[in-house]
């Protein structure tokens, strides 16, 4: 892999010790250091939460995690490589996103510091390091893609898969609206200013958020600023996006998945259209599809309640399938 590992914080802003989470820990896995937090009884069935593009483990709302724990699960959330306090990857090439997108559309090789498969190997390595034989995998957006790769490459680790607002790598089914893509690739007006960074993320959420499930503006800003104080690594988002583009069309890999799978997608997702969710469910044998009207590409409070019920039901179904086999 044409990349060198850096400890988190050496590029972008350094992680702030005051914003560390209770119980936040580190393990070495797959050649990098991964920051994670484990919640709940260590003997309970495990749900591994995998977050999306450029987002830290704190993007999984605390209350959402607590409610999963209250349902009898051990919840593990972690920073993917190139986010938060996990290892940041130093790539000596200058990322050229527009060229990468063009090459991806033409199905040409796209240079990248790592692939989605490497991120899936990170997740498998984390489970190994924590001595968790098998887990229910729940991923959103890029995290759903990582979860798909994990289920295909490491099925022995996976009790069930829940792929949320994600895609297959097929451009024809997953190209979002230009306005959403522009906002996703935008930069803050003042990169060194916390408020400016937060303003940029709030503009992103205003475009990609759920029209049927409004968020409280004050609470959303507090949540966004909490993450920005914890760590800030904008290049990581770019490199993760390169990993998605370089992975290419993964439809054949998805067709090989054999674990119980639930696909959840918003009917009003402007970043990854609902056609991407439909195709995901069609490709994975036996997958169930749940489309949520009014849901965009975020975890608005109203969306969280629906996801919580869907995940708990699906994990119970996955456990029954495993116990009956």
């Amino acid at each position: 892999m044409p990349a060198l590992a850096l400890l988190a914080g050496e590029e972008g802003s350094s992680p702030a010790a005051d914003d560390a989470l209770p119980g936040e820990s580190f393990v070495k896995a797959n050649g990098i250091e991964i920051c994670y937090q484990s919640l709940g009884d260590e003997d309970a069935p495990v749900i591994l939460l995998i977050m999306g593009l450029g987002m830290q483990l704190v993007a999984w709302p605390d209350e959402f995690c607590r409610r999963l724990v209250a349902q009898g699960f051990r919840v593990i959330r972690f920073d993917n490589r190139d986010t938060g306090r996990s290892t940041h990857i130093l790539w000596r090439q200058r990322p050229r996103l527009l060229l990468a997108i063009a090459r991806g559309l033409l199905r040409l090789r796209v240079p990248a510091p790592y692939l989605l498969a490497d991120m899936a190997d990170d997740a498998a390595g984390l489970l190994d390091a924590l001595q968790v034989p098998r887990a229910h995998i729940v991923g959103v957006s890029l995290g759903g893609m990582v979860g798909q790769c994990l289920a295909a490459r490491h099925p022995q680790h996976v009790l069930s898969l829940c792929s949320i607002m994600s895609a297959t790598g097929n451009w024809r089914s997953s190209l979002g609206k230009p306005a959403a893509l522009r906002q996703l690739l935008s930069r803050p007006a003042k990169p060194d200013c916390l408020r400016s960074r937060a303003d940029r993320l709030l503009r992103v959420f205003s475009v990609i958020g759920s029209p049927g499930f409004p968020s409280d503006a004050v609470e959303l800003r507090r949540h966004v600023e909490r993450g920005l104080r914890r760590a800030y690594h904008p290049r990581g988002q770019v490199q993760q996006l390169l990993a998605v583009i370089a992975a290419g069309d993964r439809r054949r890999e998805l067709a090989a998945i054999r674990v119980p799978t639930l696909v959840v997608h918003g009917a009003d997702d402007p970043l990854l259209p609902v056609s991407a969710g439909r195709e995901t469910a069609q490709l994975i044998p036996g997958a169930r599809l749940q489309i949520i009207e009014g849901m965009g590409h975020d975890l608005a409070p109203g969306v969280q309640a629906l996801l919580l019920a869907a995940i708990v039901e699906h994990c119970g179904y996955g456990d029954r399938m495993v116990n009956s086999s």
Side-chain angles (χ1 to χ4, degrees), residues 35-234:
C35 180
Y36 74 95
Q37 184 191 38
S38 177
L39 304 167
D41 187 343
E42 290 194 359
D43 294 326
V46 173
I47 292 179
L48 182 69
L49 300 176
I50 310 179
M51 190 30 76
L53 183 71
M55 304 301 287
Q56 304 175 50
L57 64 86
V58 292
W60 290 105
D62 294 343
E63 182 61 23
F64 180 79
C65 295
R66 284 194 288 266
R67 289 182 179 182
L68 285 175
V69 169
Q71 291 292 326
F73 295 99
R74 176 187 177 188
V75 174
I76 299 173
R77 54 180 177 172
F78 70 103
D79 290 327
N80 284 309
R81 62 168 63 197
D82 257 346
T83 57
R85 298 168 184 265
S86 290
T87 294
H88 295 174
I89 304 299
L90 174 62
W91 193 41
R92 299 203 180 278
Q93 295 189 40
R94 178 172 171 265
R96 302 175 66 183
L97 269 180
L98 293 180
L99 178 60
I101 292 171
R103 291 183 66 88
L105 288 169
L106 294 172
R107 297 192 175 186
L108 299 175
R109 191 184 76 84
V110 176
Y114 48 85
L115 299 176
L116 286 175
D118 297 302
M119 300 181 73
D121 291 348
D122 294 344
L126 172 62
L127 292 175
D128 283 335
L130 298 181
Q131 298 183 337
V132 175
R134 304 181 79 180
H136 298 285
I137 308 301
V138 177
V140 297
S141 195
L142 171 139
M145 301 176 201
V146 174
Q148 295 162 11
C149 290
L150 180 62
R153 294 170 59 87
H154 303 278
Q156 73 279 8
H157 280 306
V158 180
L159 288 168
S160 71
L161 170 65
C162 185
S163 176
I164 304 168
M165 54 177 120
S166 195
T168 68
N170 175 20
W171 290 93
R172 292 183 179 181
S173 67
S174 58
L175 275 179
K177 294 181 178 180
L181 296 172
R182 282 196 299 272
Q183 282 296 338
L184 182 69
L185 300 177
S186 67
R187 296 183 179 184
K190 299 178 181 178
D192 294 332
C193 171
L194 175 66
R195 184 176 183 82
S196 182
R197 295 173 184 172
D199 287 344
R200 178 254 166 188
L201 280 175
L202 291 171
R203 286 194 299 272
V204 172
F205 284 120
S206 72
V207 173
I208 70 173
S210 298
F213 300 91
S215 296
D216 180 87
V218 173
E219 178 60 24
L220 182 58
R221 176 175 285 275
R222 185 199 67 78
H223 185 66
V224 164
E225 290 186 350
R226 175 197 187 193
L228 290 170
R229 284 192 299 269
R230 181 174 179 265
Y232 180 63
H233 182 48

Side-chain angles (χ1 to χ4, degrees), residues 243-321:
V244 173
I245 299 169
D249 191 329
R250 296 175 290 101
R251 284 180 287 180
R252 182 175 297 179
E253 183 176 69
L254 265 65
I257 293 175
R258 292 293 184 271
V259 302
T261 299
L262 173 66
V263 176
V264 182
H265 216 100
D268 298 283
D269 191 329
L271 190 61
L272 289 175
V274 68
S275 56
R278 292 186 192 277
E279 183 178 61
T280 302
Q282 289 169 357
L283 287 170
I284 299 175
R288 297 181 296 142
L289 174 65
Q290 180 173 344
I291 296 174
I292 299 178
E293 297 293 332
M295 175 181 168
H297 201 85
D298 69 346
L299 295 177
V303 171
Q304 291 173 39
L306 296 176
L307 289 179
L308 182 78
I311 291 168
V312 169
E313 179 185 2
H314 179 64
C315 290
Y317 170 75
D319 285 335
R320 290 193 297 274
M321 290 294 291

